Amino acid sequence: MTHFTCTNCRKTHTITSPRWRCDCGGLLDINFTPHLDVRLLKKRKPNLWRYREAIPLPPEAGIISFDEGFTPLLPVNFDGREVWVKQDQLFGTGSYKDRGAAVLISQAAWLGVNHVVEDSSGNAGCAVAAYCARAGISCDIYVPADNSPAKLAQIARYGANLKAIPGSREDTAAAVMQAAENSFYASHSWNPFFFHGTKTWAYEVCEQLGWQAPDTVILPAGNGTLLLGAAIGFKELFQMGLIKRRPRLVAVQAAGCAPLVKMFNEDLNVVPAVQKTATLAEGIAIAAPVRGAQMVAAVRESGGFFISVDEGEIKTSLLHIHHQGYFIEPTSAAVTAGVSRYVAQHAAAGEMIVSTFTGHGLKAGDKIAKL
Ligand SMILES: *Cc1c(COP(=O)(O)O)cnc(C)c1O
Ligand SMILES: [Zn+2]
């Protein structure tokens, strides 16, 4: 039976309640064993719902969708080396967060929820706001007031109540926690349904490679929504026998905010407090990721590691990717800088490497124009 499991006290809870954490305060995961007959996929639309049976919503639940997903997987040149890059900047709201929002807001709609709250450094807020608009659910989106104006405008234009909070990203998280006492918290970091949306990244990559797993995948590590989603996806595909091994996960943080690099390298048990400095990669500057320990465990278990990239590398990589015809936002360039670093220092001959573009450059036009 599909249910929530608390990662702290192991208590289980039904998924038919609008809960986002355990009574003990612990993080929830979803206990779920997918079954997917890939022969059926040929006849299905090229969107992420082609894996419907692998998404832990009951069969009778309707879905809230814009036909999202199945983004192109293209070979991109990194210093003479070919790396496969998923074009997740091409989602409707401009980032891969639509994967998570589609599944999470479908769950909220199925539960009959009519109001949600969410906090975000930008893109998750955009995605939740768009899917709430589609579902007819009202939402309050909490964001740091100094975020990209284009992202704040996008959230407001979708009809969400924009709560711009002065101060740090952590101040915004504290403000939403209060609101979440009385509302459904459509959180991309707490709510495990979000991760069962982002896991479709792994399903698509393997299908697009002819049901083969890459050797290595290189992904961002802020709150880990894509990293942990991919870990779930590859694990399920492996358990279903659709791939023969699980890829190594390499996670990238900006040096200006890299608590997990420190946690991994120093073998710590808890996410260490770090001094945050300004970074172009605003979207992954998360000082206290709630699933930080899970992220480090997933990377370690896969045989991978963490990379930190500095501001110079991020800027160089951003310009280099733009020159090749891909318009990504600065946060996304932290990942591509990590790919360049990996290619230069770690890649073996013949190794198949897959990474991703996470967000569209039009979201941060002003910032890019000033570089
Ligand atoms: C959300 C996001 C990421 C990754 O962030 P996580 O906090 O790890 O989920 C990377 N790039 C962009 C553009 C994003 O919106
Ligand atoms: Zn618990």
Side-chain angles (χ1 to χ4, degrees), residues 42-358:
K42 266 199 219 81
K43 294 207 181 95
R44 295 187 179 172
K45 285 209 247 179
N47 65 43
L48 60 80
W49 296 101
R50 59 202 274 105
Y51 313 113
R52 177 67 180 85
E53 299 88 333
I55 293 172
L57 291 167
E60 65 274 18
I63 59 168
I64 306 300
S65 172
F66 293 98
D67 255 4
E68 58 284 307
F70 221 73
T71 52
L73 179 65
L74 296 178
V76 176
N77 187 299
F78 284 84
D79 314 307
R81 170 101 191 199
E82 194 166 85
V83 173
W84 291 92
V85 181
K86 199 81 170 120
Q87 307 288 308
D88 272 14
Q89 81 280 25
L90 300 180
F91 274 97
T93 76
S95 87
Y96 77 83
K97 298 294 195 309
D98 291 17
R99 294 186 185 279
V103 172
L104 176 55
I105 300 305
S106 292
Q107 186 231 6
W110 166 60
L111 293 176
V113 166
N114 53 33
H115 178 71
V116 309
V117 297
E118 155 75 322
D119 62 315
S120 160
S121 59
N123 288 341
C126 292
V128 167
Y131 284 82
C132 281
R134 182 103 172 126
I137 293 174
S138 78
C139 63
D140 296 346
I141 307 287
Y142 291 72
V143 290
D146 63 358
N147 231 299
S148 284
K151 291 181 186 176
L152 303 193
Q154 191 181 355
I155 291 167
R157 291 296 163 133
Y158 286 135
N161 307 306
L162 183 68
K163 308 273 188 190
I165 307 298
S168 68
R169 174 71 181 85
E170 287 64 41
D171 293 328
T172 299
V176 78
M177 279 299 196
Q178 273 209 313
E181 298 287 329
N182 316 307
S183 297
F184 182 84
Y185 186 19
S187 171
H188 60 292
S189 44
W190 282 90
N191 199 309
F193 275 94
F194 198 92
F195 298 81
H196 282 262
T198 53
K199 79 179 181 188
T200 58
W201 185 90
Y203 279 69
E204 291 177 17
V205 165
C206 293
E207 186 180 0
Q208 287 168 320
L209 294 174
W211 295 111
Q212 241 196 104
D215 295 305
T216 303
V217 305
I218 304 176
L219 295 172
N223 274 311
T225 56
L226 190 53
L227 181 71
L228 289 172
I232 294 169
F234 289 123
K235 181 169 162 215
E236 290 176 349
L237 293 164
F238 180 71
Q239 284 170 346
M240 287 187 280
L242 293 173
I243 54 175
K244 295 200 179 54
R245 58 191 159 74
R246 289 152 68 175
R248 177 167 48 241
L249 302 174
V250 173
V252 186
Q253 296 206 295
C257 184
L260 302 182
V261 173
K262 185 172 161 72
M263 185 176 172
F264 181 86
N265 290 343
E266 298 177 16
D267 218 350
L268 309 175
N269 291 323
V270 291
V271 180
V274 292
Q275 205 58 39
K276 198 154 134 175
T277 56
T279 172
L280 279 169
E282 61 173 15
I284 54 167
I286 310 293
V290 294
R291 292 185 185 265
Q294 254 185 350
M295 292 160 72
V296 168
V299 167
R300 185 161 278 136
E301 198 195 322
S302 77
F305 53 90
F306 280 80
I307 288 178
S308 90
V309 290
D310 64 33
E311 293 305 297
E313 288 173 275
I314 296 172
K315 189 175 164 185
T316 304
S317 187
L318 182 69
L319 301 177
H320 178 69
I321 297 294
H322 286 171
H323 268 207
Q324 296 187 70
Y326 305 98
F327 201 45
I328 59 171
E329 65 170 289
T331 297
S332 194
V335 188
T336 56
V339 174
S340 288
R341 183 79 87 81
Y342 185 86
V343 163
Q345 298 178 349
H346 304 280
E351 177 180 347
M352 189 195 280
I353 305 166
V354 176
S355 186
T356 195
F357 292 150
T358 54

